[in-house]
Amino acid sequence: MFSNILNAFLVGGTLCAIAQILIDKTKLTPARIMVLYVVLGAVLTLFGIYQKIVDFGGAGATVPIMGFGYSLAKGVMSEVSKNGFLGIFTGGITATSMGVCAVIVFGYLAALLSKPKGK
């Protein structure tokens, strides 16, 4: 149990630390780093590398933004094996739809419950 928590912390912390170093030491914007992480998660999934990271790090690997790329790629691969070429277009959307829906709902609720402040 504790080793799972430690592994998740190490993997998630390493991913976040690398992103922070990229922000501090390069001219990349946070948006570009986020896109880089999503694409890197998808590419590493394609080659079977990210699954090993997920097996070791659990939520530390699936919760950060690289996990979104992982979910997109896994969904596409799954749907392509089931439905063929059409799975390229439907797999990523199907695999990530619940997470995207949760973000929209909770973001809306946070906007309703918060009190905006002017500068």
Side-chain angles (χ1 to χ4, degrees), residues 12 14-22 31-44 50 64-70:
T14 301
L15 293 174
C16 292
I18 292 169
Q20 188 63 50
I21 291 168
L22 289 172
R32 288 183 179 179
I33 293 169
M34 186 170 58
V35 170
L36 174 72
Y37 265 37
V38 171
V39 171
L40 189 60
V43 170
L44 290 176
Y50 205 74
I65 195 69
M66 282 181 87
F68 186 70
Y70 164 76

Side-chain angles (χ1 to χ4, degrees), residues 17-119:
I18 292 169
Q20 188 63 50
I21 291 168
L22 289 172
I23 290 170
D24 293 342
K25 301 294 182 185
T26 67
K27 294 186 185 240
L28 292 173
T29 63
R32 288 183 179 179
I33 293 169
M34 186 170 58
V35 170
L36 174 72
Y37 265 37
V38 171
V39 171
L40 189 60
V43 170
L44 290 176
T45 302
L46 177 67
F47 293 113
I49 298 169
Y50 205 74
Q51 184 60 50
K52 293 175 185 172
I53 298 170
V54 169
D55 291 342
F56 177 77
T62 57
V63 172
I65 195 69
M66 282 181 87
F68 186 70
Y70 164 76
S71 295
L72 284 170
K74 288 282 282 192
V76 168
M77 291 188 298
S78 173
E79 287 295 315
V80 165
S81 67
K82 290 179 193 172
N83 300 327
F85 182 75
L86 189 60
I88 294 172
F89 304 107
T90 61
I93 295 168
T94 304
T96 60
S97 60
M98 186 178 295
V100 171
C101 181
V103 166
I104 292 169
V105 169
F106 290 121
Y108 181 71
L109 289 175
L112 287 177
L113 298 175
S114 65
K115 186 176 181 181
K117 297 179 181 176
K119 290 187 176 184

